[in-house]
Every structure is written in C-alpha cells, then in structure tokens.
Amino acid sequence: MHTLVFLSMRQVLQCQSAACQALPLLPRELFPLLFKVAFMDKKTVVLRELVHTWPFPLLSFQQLLQECAHCSRALLQERLSTESMQAVILGLTARLHTPESEAGTQPLCRKHALRVLDMTGLLDDGVEQDPGTMSMWDCTAAVARTCIAQQQGRNLEHGPAPVPVEVRVDLRVNRASYAFLREALQSSLGSPLRLCCRDLRAEDLPMRNTVALLQLLDAGCLRRVDLRFNNLGLRGLSVIIPHVARFQHLASLRLHYVHGDSRQPSVDGEDNFRYFLAQMGRFTCLRELSMGSSLLSGRLDQLLSTLQSPLESLELAFCALMPEDLRFLARSSHAAHLKKLDLSGNDLSGSQLMPFQGLLQAARATLLHLELTECQLADAQLLATLPTLTQCASLRYLGLYGNPLSIAGLKELLRDSVVQAELRTVVHPFPVDCYEGLPWPPPASVLLEASINEEKFARVEAELHQLLLASGRAHVLWTTDIYGRLAADYFSL
C-alpha cells in the first residue's frame, strides 16, 4: 500500500523535465521520498538531478531505499535497477564538476552540500546475472570507473576545486578485478571523490595482492574483512593478519582454511600460530569471527582467550571440534553474548553431544541464530537436546539440513518448538524415511546426494503444514531450501 503523499510524488514525476524545474521550489523534506519514487520508477533524469542538487550532507541507500511509512517495498532486498544506479552515478559526477565556490549559490545547497554518498548494503546474491539490474560488484565497478575518470579529469583541469564527496561501498574483489580496483582506490587518495570501503570480500586472491589492497583502505571505515577461497594456511595468514589488525574498528573477521601447512616443519607451524594469536589480541571491537574449515581441534581455547571482548557471532563450520573445545566455549565469556552460532560439519552425535548441550544452556538467553547443518544428529540426539534447545526463547532461525532425522523426529521438534515464540525459520533435512536403501548411520554425503521419494516427501510436507496450522504457527517457515538466503548476516540480527 502507498500513502497519498507517495502517490502525489509519483504524479509529480510523470513529466521529468517539469519535475526538474520544480525541484528548487519543493521543500527539501520531500527529497528523500522523491528519491525513492524516482529510483523505483526509473525516472533517471529526475534521479540524476536529485543527486546533483541533494540538499543534505548524507545520501544513504540504506535509509532511502528501505521499507518506509509511505511505501512498504524494500528495494535493498532486490537487485537494483541498472538505469537508476547509473543515474545516481551521473548525478554524482555532475556534482563533482560543480566547483565549491558555485555550490553555495545553488538554491538547494545554501546551507548543506552532499558530503557522503552511502551505497553500502546492496544485495549480493551471487546468482544469475540480469542485464537490467546491478549486483554489488557491478556497483563497485561503476563507482571505481568514476574514481579513475575523476582523477584523470583533475589531472587535465586547473579550475576551482569541486566539493569533495566520500563514497561508501562494500567491495568484492577477485584475481580478475584486483588491478582495476587497486587503481580506483589509488585514484581516490587525495581526490575529491574519496572511496571508502565498509566491507571487504576478497576471493581467491594471492597473498601479496591481499596485503596491497588492505594497505589502500581507510582504517576508520572498514567494518568487515572476509577472505574466501584463498587457502592461505597459517604461513600466509601470519603475513596478512598484522595488516588486518591495524583496523581498530573492525567488527567482523571471516577467515577460512586456517591450518598448518604439512610441508612446513611443525616448529614453524607453531610459531606462525602463536604469532596469529598475538595479532588477534590487538582487535578491540571484534564481535564476529568466522573460521570455517580451519583445523582447530583442541585449540579453540587458545584462539578465543586472546580476544579482548566477547564475541556475538561465532562460525566454526567444519573445524573438527573436540569435546574440550565445546566445554571451553560453554565456560567462556563469549557464550553468554552469542547471538549467532554455526557448528555445521562438526560431529555432535557422540562425546560432543553433552558439551554441546552445555553450550546451548550457556547461550540460551541471547542466541538468535543456530546453524547445525551436517552435524550427524539423529532422532535420539535431537530428542535429548530438545529440553535445552527449547530454552533458547529468542531463537529465530534453526538450521538442521543434512542431519539423519526421521519424520517422527521432525514432528517432535515442531511440537516442542511451539514454546519458542520468536522462531521464524527452520531449515530441516529430507527425512530419512523418504530415502530408499540408506546405509546406517548415513554419511552426510549420501543424504545430500541420494534421491528421495518425492511422493512420500510431499505427504510429509503436508503433515508438517497441518501441524503448524493446528498449533497456530503458520507464520513459521519450515523448508528444505538451503539456498534461499534465509540465514541472517550478523549485522542484520
């Protein structure tokens, strides 16, 4: 539903040339809604002029394109229109070509000038490409081209300095885009268009390139560093980690495949691990740590004891955790602060089960998001854990995909979870009853790859739906879809 004000703004923008002429006469309080309407309806001429004459110091996509009182549509949860994004960048370019001496003479800029364009928070779904929409990388590339072009233009011009603008973005970089992005960051140094990275995601990037990129980033802006598929090992990480540790405001650090190199003498491996721990102790604002696919067996206490503040999000997927690791975590100061916990790929079915239950007990007051994919939890382990699990009263998301649970186990979970009023999403496995000829206990690889009886599973889905209706829980999503972007990012919790 749209309000009368929204519909009026949409009508005003029907004739774009007239709307542009009317902008100086409109109250600046209408500009935020005008921006959303123009962006949504691809009124690119008006959109460009809105950015060019923006009367406030800040233009934030997260503030302007979210659900609001006038329009329930949240554009940031969609892939954004290429036309609209290009119009914003053209408006920024026009703004940069307005000398500061002239900016004050413009009716809408007498008291304010745009200082920050915040383009962070764009959807990064990593799925099919649509030429009509922009991904996070597309946006980064467009802004980077603007940075490079702006610096090249400044080298040729000698007129009055333009009004400086800080552009905040989330950067995603790989081998193919590294050189281009490095040039853009270098061009923005000392330029009126200053590129500031909030979240950095580097994929399959050589160690020297990762270091070079980190050296170009503003220490005051960076919130997250996410290094994926780099297979650095402890040796490579010991080179990179001091460059990361200089970002004192860093709240999220996501590392993967942190383990000793079998080609190294063990003494070197231990030295590298101790150095890594010492650098981890430098972070003062760290709240999220992800160490997926890292060999941490029996070493979790060493890692977590070095941190200065309790974590609120901890991802330890496929880390070969041992009972003592889980016991330490349950006793640590981190447990009582955890909002998000991912233990996927760790076997919780044997001697780890009781320590895991103790960890749930310690985290029950704060836990919002629990991921237990492929933890070898069968009915017996799940039923033994339910009394503790259902004490997590604030839990919103539960991931159980890839566990050997039966129809009876899922039904028991559904009935017992009725007391969890905040629960909104359960990602559950295909019940073992729906497979044929499963070995027991079934390996996770079999559960993920074997075919199921579609007819039998359809009946299971219908039964679960009826149970949800009967318990007044139709609003809770029970699904087997692990690719539906249902898992929440830490910063959105």
Side-chain angles (χ1 to χ4, degrees):
M1 294 293 291
H2 297 146
T3 64
L4 184 59
V5 175
F6 181 93
L7 296 175
S8 298
M9 293 299 97
R10 177 168 276 176
Q11 191 62 36
V12 166
L13 299 186
Q14 289 303 307
C15 179
Q16 295 195 69
S17 59
C20 290
Q21 293 178 1
L23 285 181
L25 306 176
L26 295 176
R28 67 176 190 163
E29 289 76 16
L30 293 177
F31 270 56
L33 185 55
L34 279 169
F35 183 90
K36 182 173 185 179
V37 176
F39 200 104
M40 183 186 301
D41 293 349
K42 303 177 185 177
K43 301 296 184 181
T44 55
V45 176
V46 176
L47 197 56
R48 175 179 174 175
E49 190 62 21
L50 280 168
V51 176
H52 182 206
T53 59
W54 193 252
F56 304 104
L58 171 66
L59 195 162
S60 168
F61 277 28
Q62 292 194 70
Q63 292 180 10
L64 299 174
L65 300 182
Q66 287 288 16
E67 179 179 350
C68 66
H70 300 286
C71 174
S72 60
R73 186 173 172 186
L75 293 175
L76 279 190
Q77 296 178 15
E78 309 170 12
R79 288 172 65 95
L80 298 181
S81 158
T82 299
E83 292 180 55
S84 295
M85 290 294 290
Q86 288 174 339
V88 170
I89 292 169
L90 287 172
L92 174 64
T93 302
R95 185 103 191 191
L96 290 171
H97 285 89
T98 302
E100 190 160 15
S101 58
E102 295 179 19
T105 66
Q106 297 183 25
L108 293 170
C109 301
R110 285 196 297 267
K111 296 182 179 179
H112 299 284
L114 180 65
R115 290 294 184 263
V116 177
L117 173 59
D118 190 340
M119 303 175 77
T120 60
L122 302 188
L123 179 64
D124 182 28
D125 51 15
V127 294
E128 71 282 348
Q129 297 298 307
D130 175 0
T133 62
M134 270 194 176
S135 65
M136 185 179 79
W137 162 244
D138 296 327
C139 175
T140 298
V143 174
R145 282 192 292 270
T146 304
C147 287
I148 295 170
Q150 173 66 24
Q151 185 59 29
Q152 290 172 344
R154 288 297 300 165
N155 291 337
L156 299 174
E157 295 175 2
H158 303 284
V163 179
V165 178
E166 176 183 297
V167 181
R168 297 175 185 169
V169 292
D170 297 328
L171 300 181
R172 182 174 177 177
V173 57
N174 54 26
R175 289 175 183 262
S177 59
Y178 163 73
F180 170 66
L181 189 55
R182 182 187 62 182
E183 182 183 0
L185 288 167
Q186 289 174 331
S187 297
S188 76
L189 297 175
S191 167
L193 196 158
R194 180 167 165 255
L195 195 60
C196 292
C197 175
R198 183 189 68 161
D199 294 351
L200 173 68
R201 177 173 166 179
E203 300 179 358
D204 190 29
L205 206 60
M207 179 174 59
R208 65 181 182 279
N209 292 356
T210 303
V211 170
L213 204 61
L214 289 168
Q215 290 174 334
L216 291 171
L217 299 180
D218 190 321
C221 296
L222 199 63
R223 181 183 73 166
R224 167 179 281 163
V225 170
D226 185 349
L227 304 181
R228 301 190 180 198
F229 315 121
N230 298 290
N231 200 23
L232 295 168
L234 282 170
R235 185 177 184 180
L237 193 60
S238 65
V239 175
I240 289 176
I241 194 66
H243 297 279
V244 179
R246 78 180 181 88
F247 298 105
Q248 290 300 301
H249 300 292
L250 196 74
S252 171
L253 178 60
R254 304 179 64 85
L255 306 171
H256 303 271
Y257 305 105
V258 179
H259 47 75
D261 189 334
S262 60
R263 296 166 295 181
Q264 288 183 281
S266 59
V267 173
D268 290 345
E270 286 301 311
D271 287 345
N272 285 331
F273 188 65
R274 283 193 292 270
Y275 182 73
F276 169 67
L277 295 178
Q279 295 298 313
M280 290 296 292
R282 293 174 57 188
F283 295 106
T284 58
C285 299
L286 197 66
R287 294 296 179 268
E288 178 180 51
L289 179 62
S290 176
M291 300 287 291
S293 301
S294 300
L295 188 58
L296 295 176
S297 302
R299 313 195 79 165
L300 192 61
D301 59 335
Q302 298 177 58
L303 173 62
L304 297 183
S305 295
T306 64
L307 303 180
Q308 295 193 32
S309 303
L311 295 171
E312 295 182 348
S313 176
L314 181 59
E315 299 182 9
L316 300 170
F318 300 92
C319 287
L321 298 181
M322 302 175 69
E324 53 263 39
D325 295 314
L326 296 172
R327 279 193 286 267
F328 169 79
L329 182 54
R331 295 193 303 265
S332 73
S333 61
H334 303 284
H337 293 82
L338 287 176
K339 296 179 180 179
K340 183 176 182 179
L341 177 63
D342 186 350
L343 297 177
S344 296
N346 293 286
D347 185 355
L348 302 178
S349 65
S351 57
Q352 290 93 334
L353 184 62
M354 288 189 66
F356 165 62
Q357 293 169 350
L359 174 56
L360 279 186
Q361 182 73 20
R364 68 188 187 280
T366 56
L367 198 59
L368 305 176
H369 187 107
L370 179 61
E371 188 67 74
L372 302 173
T373 296
E374 297 182 44
C375 288
Q376 300 185 36
L377 294 170
D379 288 0
Q381 290 80 33
L382 178 64
L383 294 178
T385 306
L386 276 177
T388 308
L389 179 61
T390 53
Q391 290 182 39
C392 300
S394 301
L395 195 67
R396 301 173 189 166
Y397 175 97
L398 176 61
L400 289 169
Y401 194 83
N403 288 287
L405 299 173
S406 71
I407 297 171
L410 290 178
K411 289 181 178 178
E412 189 64 30
L413 171 63
L414 191 153
R415 284 189 288 264
D416 286 16
S417 66
V418 168
V419 299
Q420 294 173 291
E422 300 301 317
L423 190 62
R424 291 295 179 269
T425 304
V426 177
V427 180
H428 64 85
F430 294 101
V432 291
D433 318 59
C434 295
Y435 295 87
E436 295 180 2
L438 275 182
W440 197 264
S445 58
V446 173
L447 292 176
L448 296 176
E449 297 172 7
S451 59
I452 65 165
N453 186 317
E454 297 286 353
E455 184 178 342
K456 185 179 289 188
F457 179 63
R459 290 198 297 269
V460 171
E461 283 191 306
E463 289 182 52
L464 293 176
H465 182 64
Q466 286 302 317
L467 285 173
L468 287 170
L469 289 175
S471 59
R473 305 275 285 174
H475 60 283
V476 182
L477 175 64
W478 277 61
T479 179
T480 57
D481 181 10
I482 59 173
Y483 302 109
R485 302 195 304 271
L486 299 171
D489 181 80
Y490 162 65
F491 291 112
S492 68
L493 292 175

